[in-house]
Amino acid sequence: MLVLAALLLALRGPLADAAAEAWRQYDACAGERCGYDQAAILRYKDYYNYATLALNALPLLVAAWAGAALTGRELESGTALLSWTQAASPARWLAVRLAVPAVAVSAGTALLFWLHHLAWDAGHGRIHTAKPWSDRWTFHANGPSTLALALAGLAAGTLAGLLLRRTLPALLLGTAVAAGIRGLAEIALPHLWPAVTRLSTMDQGFVGSGLTVDQGLVTRTGARVPVPACDSVDGCRSAYAGFTGHWNTYHPLSHYWPLQLTTSALVLAVAGLLVLGCFLALRRLTGPATTAGGAATGGTTA
């Protein structure tokens, strides 16, 4: 986290400034052959991609750690059972196992996505190759949806450890579930807020930019159909004949926060269900009742 935070601060400051100056030099060439700092542009692009991918991978790392170290290893080694027979009840043990990492993950992830948003904003409008807000990797790295995904990963890994009670299988299952949650969030994202549809003529092409939901062509009767497939100039000219315009359904920049908040709420709801699953799995593992010392009196602890 410290390395990633330092990289994001560099992207916010000197790396963005150097790349922006290089693009200013390039634009000043006006078609003439002249020099500009191409290395600064490529360096900013590479480091931005590394930081963005790392932040998107964070929920998977949290899930892997939670499954392997937080619950799976302790149940496999018997450390959890020893804790239950001494001071902490199973429910309290699990609550602490979830609450303390959740606070740390929330604080760290919130700092990182805020720094990433600052780094992206430093290049927006100044660096021609900067990623748009609608780029899926940038979208999540820039906002609280990454925090929600990290908390869902924590719950998924914890549940995997409770179900499998072995380190490596819990690591793999927790990571797979976290990846599945991310995939479902990607599918649901464009449909969580009403999109905007704009019509245009055939000469204008598609009008409107942002997060595309769907596009197509308009027939003479006003019907909207998908873009026909074609693989040559003559084939496309024939396929496009008879259409009167384009239609484009998309989310503009003004939909950024509604999409972030609705996606985060959906993922947090899934995380809540996984947490409930953790306590149900623990109850099945230890039994419904505990002694005054905290040891299970029913069920199995093997």
Side-chain angles (χ1 to χ4, degrees):
M1 287 186 64
L2 290 175
V3 171
L4 185 54
L7 177 56
L8 291 170
L9 287 172
L11 287 167
R12 162 69 171 163
L15 291 177
D17 292 340
E21 174 61 21
W23 277 111
R24 190 195 65 78
Q25 295 169 359
Y26 178 83
D27 293 338
C29 291
E32 300 177 2
R33 189 178 184 85
C34 59
Y36 66 98
D37 192 358
Q38 185 181 30
I41 296 174
L42 296 177
R43 185 165 51 248
Y44 175 87
K45 179 181 178 182
D46 289 341
Y47 287 157
Y48 177 88
N49 288 337
Y50 297 152
T52 302
L53 290 175
L55 198 47
N56 276 268
L58 183 61
L60 303 182
L61 298 177
V62 171
W65 171 79
L70 192 61
T71 52
R73 184 172 60 188
E74 293 207 11
L75 289 169
E76 185 176 22
S77 64
T79 305
L81 178 60
L82 180 62
S83 176
W84 300 342
T85 58
Q86 292 182 351
S89 67
R92 182 179 179 185
W93 172 85
L94 178 58
V96 172
R97 285 293 181 280
L98 286 169
V100 175
V103 171
V105 167
S106 297
T109 307
L111 174 64
L112 290 177
F113 82 67
W114 177 66
L115 290 176
H116 190 282
H117 189 84
L118 292 179
W120 173 82
D121 189 59
H124 183 61
R126 301 171 62 205
I127 300 172
H128 299 348
T129 52
K131 296 290 186 180
W133 72 271
S134 55
D135 174 74
R136 291 300 183 93
W137 301 104
T138 294
F139 176 86
H140 289 292
N142 266 355
S145 61
T146 292
L147 191 157
L149 288 167
L151 292 177
L154 175 65
T158 302
L159 179 58
L162 289 168
L163 292 175
L164 301 180
R165 286 168 278 167
R166 295 177 60 193
T167 302
L168 184 58
L171 182 153
L172 297 175
L173 178 60
T175 305
V177 173
I181 295 172
R182 167 61 185 262
L184 293 176
E186 286 291 310
I187 295 173
L189 171 62
H191 310 288
L192 295 177
W193 195 258
V196 174
T197 299
R198 293 190 62 182
L199 302 176
S200 57
T201 65
M202 291 299 292
D203 293 335
Q204 288 177 310
F206 293 107
V207 175
S209 62
L211 182 63
T212 300
V213 178
D214 202 1
Q215 293 178 329
L217 300 178
V218 181
T219 66
R220 296 185 186 278
T221 61
R224 300 176 184 178
V225 299
V227 177
C230 57
D231 54 7
S232 65
V233 175
D234 292 337
C236 289
R237 186 179 294 114
S238 176
Y240 279 53
F243 292 104
T244 61
H246 295 82
W247 62 273
N248 182 26
T249 301
Y250 69 103
H251 292 285
L253 178 58
S254 59
H255 288 190
Y256 171 76
W257 279 111
L259 289 172
Q260 274 284 353
L261 295 177
T262 51
T263 303
S264 300
L266 176 64
V267 174
L268 287 175
V270 174
L273 293 176
L274 290 172
V275 169
L276 176 61
C278 289
F279 282 95
L280 292 176
L282 181 68
R283 181 183 177 88
R284 179 176 178 274
L285 180 65
T286 62
T290 58
T291 65
T297 60
T300 178
T301 56

